[in-house]
Amino acid sequence: MIEEAAKLLARSRFAIAFTGAGISAESGVPTFRGFNGLWKKHRPEELATPEAFRKDPHLVWSFYRWRMGLIRNAKPNRAHYALAELEEMGILKAVITQNVDDLHREAGSRRIIELHGNIFRVRCTSCSYRENLKESGRLDEFLEEKDLPKCPECGSLLRPDVVWFGEPLPRKTLEEAFKLAERADLVLVIGTSGVVYPAAYIPQIVKETGGKVIEVNPEESGITPIADVFLRCPAGEAMEKLMERVRRLM
Ligand code: APR
Ligand code: ZN
């Protein structure tokens, strides 16, 4: 199976990756659908919604501050680095991710499409103010603060610049992802349950336009039925073995 996947990758002319929370599991970032009970009594699905934010912004902000703190200390793992290397080798053209954790960027991937936003960015609920707290150097101060975060321009409430359940994805980002998927002759799907739409259309589009689907996941997922090669394995281990073979083939 690994050999087959390596051959497909080495032969492909326009490969893309499609990643989900599972690729960051080995970096210590909890996945969503395996997350139960980790954060107090709430499920992320109940907190990551516009309704929850309207009803109890304190609760939602304490959840996001908790996740920001946890993710800030996480380091990319072998799978993130493998994708950066595949791009450097000219095989991978882009990483389309559902993750907000910035670990693809930390690992050195260059063309990254973040379908669901980025946890280190905040934006104003009234004006067009946006800030990347990692880049502005305000992350520490932001995490220590207990009050609701306010816009420095207009004083309104800030929110995380991520896509919540029930919200549309940024149109340009989604269009770019769909275009890449139409063009791709191969998609490497890593660590996603493949049940959240429209993101989950990405591998389907690749498949429907004649491309191959390689999946890495220790469990079966919504993508498994369309996978040409299914590597039933944690991401780090699978990608390390795959890279050894791809390097030899190139
Ligand atoms: N390596 C690879 N895959 C793994 C690993 C691992 N070490 N550990 C777990 N997985 C797999 C699980 O088997 C599961 O299929 O990762 C997947 C994680 O699934 P979800 O938690 O549903 O995450 P994801 O698919 O990214 O969720 C999609 O839902 O909550 C929203 O917006 C959020 O972007 C997120 C979207
Ligand atoms: Zn504002």
Side-chain angles (χ1 to χ4, degrees), residues 123-129 150-158:
R123 68 169 203 253
C124 181
T125 52
S126 313
C127 75
S128 60
Y129 183 80
K150 297 285 164 57
C151 174
E153 306 252 304
C154 77
S156 301
L157 185 59
L158 291 176

Side-chain angles (χ1 to χ4, degrees), residues 192-238:
T192 179
S193 52
V195 296
V196 174
Y197 286 86
Y201 284 127
I202 303 293
Q204 293 177 23
I205 293 170
V206 177
K207 183 81 178 185
E208 280 160 18
T209 50
K212 299 282 183 196
V213 178
I214 300 172
E215 181 180 27
V216 177
N217 198 315
E219 311 282 344
E220 288 191 2
S221 77
I223 311 296
T224 314
I226 63 161
D228 296 284
V229 179
F230 178 40
L231 305 174
R232 191 171 190 145
C233 188
E237 187 187 333

Side-chain angles (χ1 to χ4, degrees), residues 11-68:
R11 244 189 261 142
S12 97
R13 281 175 305 144
F14 199 97
I16 59 172
F18 176 63
T19 65
I23 194 171
S24 299
E26 288 155 75
S27 296
V29 182
T31 62
F32 292 93
R33 280 157 198 83
F35 205 93
N36 292 339
L38 248 185
W39 198 76
K40 301 189 181 167
K41 301 177 289 300
H42 304 277
R43 297 176 25 217
E45 292 92 324
E46 292 163 1
L47 293 166
T49 69
E51 293 76 33
F53 192 62
R54 240 175 278 132
K55 208 175 113 198
D56 195 346
H58 278 283
L59 177 70
V60 173
W61 261 119
S62 53
F63 173 63
Y64 274 91
R65 282 190 163 120
W66 171 75
R67 280 190 69 207
M68 280 176 166

